[in-house]
Amino acid sequence: MNEKIVIANWKMHGTRVSNHKLINDLLPALQGMDGVKVAICPPMPYLAQLADLLGDTTIALGAQNISERAQGAFTGEVSGQMLADLGCGYALVGHSERRSLYGETDAQVAMKFEAALRAGLIPVLCLGETIYQRRAGNTNAVIGSQLKAVLEQVGIEQLAKGVIAYEPVWAIGTGETASPEQAQAVHQHIRHSLAAKNPRLAARMPLLYGGSVKAENAAQLFAQKDIDGGLIGGASLDADAFGTICQAARI
Ligand code: PGA
């Protein structure tokens, strides 16, 4: 079984004061988390604050987005090198909100994945289908084509340096979680697709589930064979809930 990873995605929430309180409340709940890697992705302007707050803890820092460019005249963008310089270890790429609200394409997501690796970051590649795609029976095809774009860009060896997060769009922020069986079925499909390229790397690839993971359902999801942890949005803003979710990953 792979080591579990739990990543908090704070999205566009927080202030300096509330961040400080949340981390102070969280740290006691995250004691003794052997065998679980925890990372927090705050909004960009707070990365430096979080780097300070997490300084001598085992909790890693991550960014919610990354530019596909290395440097230059790209107003408003943040490069992988800058994120690494601020102490980030992870960068989310292709979150469904970036894809749907900001028009990120599969090709751009693939370039972001590569940019993260170039900067020494671990890219967390988010994949997921909409409810219409699921109802039409296209879930595996959609996930397959999102994955293919990155595989074609970097190859299986480089892909395996990252993390994959399966996040059904219909489950994100809706309170409607995929059932453990639904999530496991997609995770298994992803692992099989990767195994066709390289079975050894596919077995070790961390596959996280995201989409309305809560304190109440985390343990059941994490108990599935091909679920190696979670990407947590709403519940990561609540210290008790996030603490419970991380503890559930220890089992
Ligand atoms: P949620 O978000 O846990 O609030 O559904 C997950 C995500 O968007 O990463």
Side-chain angles (χ1 to χ4, degrees):
M1 199 187 248
N2 290 330
E3 182 180 38
K4 293 274 195 288
I5 305 176
V6 181
I7 303 179
N9 174 10
W10 285 2
K11 308 196 180 183
M12 199 169 74
H13 293 287
T15 62
R16 286 180 65 80
V17 171
S18 70
N19 299 341
H20 199 272
K21 179 169 179 349
L22 184 49
I23 295 301
N24 274 351
D25 291 348
L26 251 180
L27 290 180
L30 297 186
Q31 292 300 315
M33 295 291 302
D34 306 341
V36 183
K37 277 190 201 152
V38 178
I40 296 182
C41 304
M44 296 281 188
Y46 299 126
L47 283 170
Q49 182 198 13
L50 265 285
D52 275 351
L53 290 172
L54 300 177
D56 22 277
T57 74
T58 56
I59 303 171
L61 187 63
Q64 297 174 18
N65 189 19
I66 178 173
S67 174
E68 65 271 39
R69 313 285 179 182
Q71 64 173 6
F74 302 107
T75 302
E77 291 293 286
V78 179
S79 72
Q81 199 184 6
M82 293 171 186
L83 297 176
D85 194 23
L86 281 165
C88 285
Y90 294 83
L92 306 186
V93 300
H95 188 280
S96 77
E97 287 151 17
R98 303 289 325 163
R99 292 178 190 261
S100 68
L101 302 172
Y102 300 98
E104 283 186 11
T105 62
D106 282 348
Q108 205 178 352
V109 171
M111 285 172 73
K112 287 181 179 228
F113 190 99
E114 197 173 31
L117 286 179
R118 248 195 335 258
L121 303 170
I122 299 173
V124 181
L125 171 65
C126 304
L127 311 171
E129 81 289 4
T130 65
I131 193 63
Y132 306 106
Q133 291 166 331
R134 171 165 284 264
R135 284 191 190 135
N138 290 336
T139 300
N140 287 349
V142 170
I143 303 297
S145 70
Q146 291 172 342
L147 194 56
K148 185 164 168 254
V150 182
L151 271 170
E152 281 178 353
Q153 177 85 18
V154 302
I156 183 71
E157 304 276 336
Q158 296 297 308
L159 181 87
K161 293 182 178 164
V163 170
I164 289 177
Y166 167 56
E167 297 206 298
V169 177
W170 47 273
I172 295 178
T174 59
E176 191 188 341
T177 317
S179 68
E181 296 72 26
Q182 280 174 321
Q184 165 60 24
V186 178
H187 282 232
Q188 190 178 44
H189 173 76
I190 295 172
R191 204 169 313 272
H192 280 167
S193 317
L194 298 175
K197 306 258 176 214
N198 184 322
R200 185 181 51 86
L201 293 177
R204 290 207 321 236
M205 184 89 203
L207 304 182
L208 314 187
Y209 169 79
S212 297
V213 177
K214 307 176 196 96
E216 297 75 32
N217 59 25
Q220 262 189 308
L221 287 160
F222 297 164
Q224 301 301 308
K225 181 169 168 289
D226 290 298
I227 300 187
D228 303 312
L231 178 55
I232 322 297
S236 71
L237 298 170
D238 179 308
D240 285 345
F242 190 64
T244 305
I245 291 168
C246 291
Q247 295 291 343
R250 295 176 65 196
I251 298 158

